[in-house]
Amino acid sequence: MKCPRCHFENPAGLRLCLQCAAEFTLPCPRCGFDNSLESYYCGRCGGPLPSAHQRPVDEPSERQFCGHCGTPIFRQAAGEPVPASAVRDLVGKILVPEQYLDGERRNITVLFADLSSFTLLAEKSDPEQIYLAVDLYLRAMVEEVQRYGGFVDKYTGDGLMVLFGAPTAHENDPERAIRAALTMQQRLQQMAQANVWSAPVALQARIGINSGTAVVGSVGPDFRAEYTALGDVVNVASRLEELAEPGTILVSHNTFLLTQPLFEFEKLGPIQVRGRQGPVETYRVSVEKKRPGLLPGKRGLRAPLIGRGEELTRLQTFTQQLTSQQQGGLILVTGEAGIGKSRLVAEWLVT
């Protein structure tokens, strides 16, 4: 198989040229259209293609690039040590997934949690007891974070930084962050009441949450790069955690706007935080609302329910019948994707 770029003669079955790493294509025997080697049918005429997966892959020793993924291969004479640069590149590829290497703008929610009374605990406890206490605390907190799809960005001694919306985004990341924070506080209270680590002082958590735009990606040398988020949204979340009272959760105005229909908030007003010129509007989260509302796409805007009045009436009537008869029942809402099933159910739940 001759490379179209450098004309190097490659063995059959490779995806990339061994000399220049150019990607090969699979021409259609019927129309001549160039398809990728993973194709089984032509993208133009639909004709069957000779399977590239059935052709043997020959890996010659004089290659400069991997014939499958294109990774540079460092050649050295027999007995010569592998270059340090080759080892460093390999370690970097292992530690940091390729899709996380480049920074990108993301709308994320950042959560900072910190263990209060830790200094007093360290003063009155044996180091081994401190280690066991913090380990139990962090394990419990991470379980709740992962339960709601959060990503532990880093551990900060006796605390942690969590991202919601990166690397995996959800349409309700601010809601997930607050729910995780509430369950984290509940979990810690239960552990403190049970005195599971026999701590001489009460252990509580301070939590700060902020939502906004940040740049997420891998930073640092290639062999120690870490996936993280950078931007003002991270700094504000960290400052809110510092200002929070033990056992409480503080959120910014941005997070409040995105979750107001779902949770009960206490407005604390603008608070001056360290390192910022202007104050930050803050709110304290208490509990989930007993009758949560709908989350609008934009604050103050909400499209009316159109063309589903009959279905909504049937759901309401059926619910009233079950309530009056004090019986259980099952309602199945089915249909093609995009016709408004979720919106119909949401309207029914708030009526």
Side-chain angles (χ1 to χ4, degrees):
M1 182 182 300
K2 182 174 292 186
C3 175
R5 177 191 296 176
C6 67
H7 306 291
F8 181 76
E9 195 67 40
N10 294 271
L14 300 182
R15 295 180 58 252
L16 305 171
C17 176
L18 300 177
Q19 186 70 22
C20 68
E23 185 173 3
F24 294 134
T25 58
L26 191 62
C28 175
R30 179 186 298 177
C31 67
F33 181 74
D34 289 332
N35 300 271
S36 66
L37 293 183
E38 291 78 11
S39 303
Y40 288 92
Y41 296 91
C42 177
R44 174 185 292 173
C45 68
L49 298 174
S51 175
H53 306 278
Q54 297 177 356
R55 292 177 289 181
V57 177
D58 184 16
E59 297 279 354
S61 58
E62 288 82 11
R63 61 189 181 277
Q64 294 181 346
F65 297 90
C66 174
H68 180 70
C69 67
T71 301
I73 297 178
F74 299 88
R75 295 176 294 173
Q76 65 276 351
E80 181 181 345
V82 178
S85 59
V87 177
R88 186 168 58 250
D89 291 342
L90 177 60
V91 172
K93 287 181 176 295
I94 294 174
L95 295 181
V96 182
E98 183 178 354
Q99 63 268 31
Y100 299 159
L101 291 176
D102 296 330
E104 59 177 345
R105 295 175 66 91
R106 285 280 192 98
N107 290 323
I108 64 172
T109 297
V110 184
L111 181 152
F112 274 89
D114 183 72
L115 184 63
S116 64
S117 304
F118 178 75
T119 303
L120 184 59
L121 173 66
E123 179 183 353
K124 296 185 176 182
S125 305
D126 181 79
E128 185 175 353
Q129 186 182 22
I130 298 173
Y131 167 79
L132 295 175
V134 174
D135 182 59
L136 284 172
Y137 158 77
L138 291 179
R139 287 177 182 272
M141 298 305 99
V142 170
E143 287 180 6
E144 301 304 329
V145 165
Q146 295 177 344
R147 175 184 173 188
Y148 289 97
F151 172 78
V152 178
D153 182 285
K154 60 175 62 69
Y155 294 95
T156 58
D158 58 327
L160 46 84
M161 169 183 170
V162 181
L163 304 181
F164 290 86
T168 302
H170 308 87
E171 62 182 5
N172 61 338
D173 282 307
E175 175 190 350
R176 289 170 177 259
I178 293 182
R179 293 190 184 279
L182 290 172
T183 56
M184 288 166 68
Q185 294 287 22
Q186 295 172 2
R187 181 81 174 271
L188 187 58
Q189 291 175 5
Q190 295 171 357
M191 297 172 71
Q193 293 174 359
N195 201 19
V196 294
W197 47 58
S198 302
V201 295
L203 298 177
Q204 294 179 297
R206 300 189 304 265
I207 299 179
I209 302 175
N210 185 28
S211 303
T213 303
V215 174
V216 296
S218 299
V219 296
D222 54 358
F223 57 95
R224 288 296 302 275
E226 294 183 354
Y227 184 82
T228 189
L230 298 175
D232 186 61
V233 59
V234 180
N235 300 331
V236 172
S238 177
R239 299 296 181 258
L240 291 176
E241 175 266 310
E242 295 175 358
L243 294 172
E245 295 292 332
T248 65
I249 305 166
L250 291 188
V251 304
S252 67
H253 188 64
N254 290 340
T255 305
F256 167 76
L257 291 179
L258 295 171
T259 57
Q260 180 184 7
L262 304 177
F263 304 97
E264 297 289 348
F265 293 91
E266 176 187 353
K267 185 176 181 179
L268 303 181
I271 298 178
Q272 190 66 42
V273 300
R274 179 169 57 89
R276 286 180 60 88
Q277 295 181 353
V280 176
E281 196 77 23
T282 58
Y283 301 79
R284 182 184 292 121
V285 186
S286 54
V287 295
E288 181 183 2
K289 287 186 176 181
K290 294 182 179 179
R291 293 182 63 86
L294 297 176
L295 291 174
K298 290 185 179 294
R299 181 167 175 79
L301 298 179
R302 180 170 175 268
L305 184 67
I306 299 176
R308 290 290 178 263
E310 179 182 351
E311 290 82 356
L312 180 59
T313 302
R314 292 172 59 186
L315 288 175
Q316 295 170 341
T317 302
F318 186 70
T319 305
Q320 294 173 359
Q321 292 176 354
L322 293 180
T323 304
S324 62
Q325 299 173 2
Q326 297 183 351
Q327 294 181 352
L330 177 64
I331 302 175
L332 177 62
V333 180
T334 182
E336 298 179 358
I339 64 173
K341 299 186 297 297
S342 299
R343 176 64 188 278
L344 173 63
V345 173
E347 291 284 347
W348 169 55
L349 291 175
V350 298
T351 55

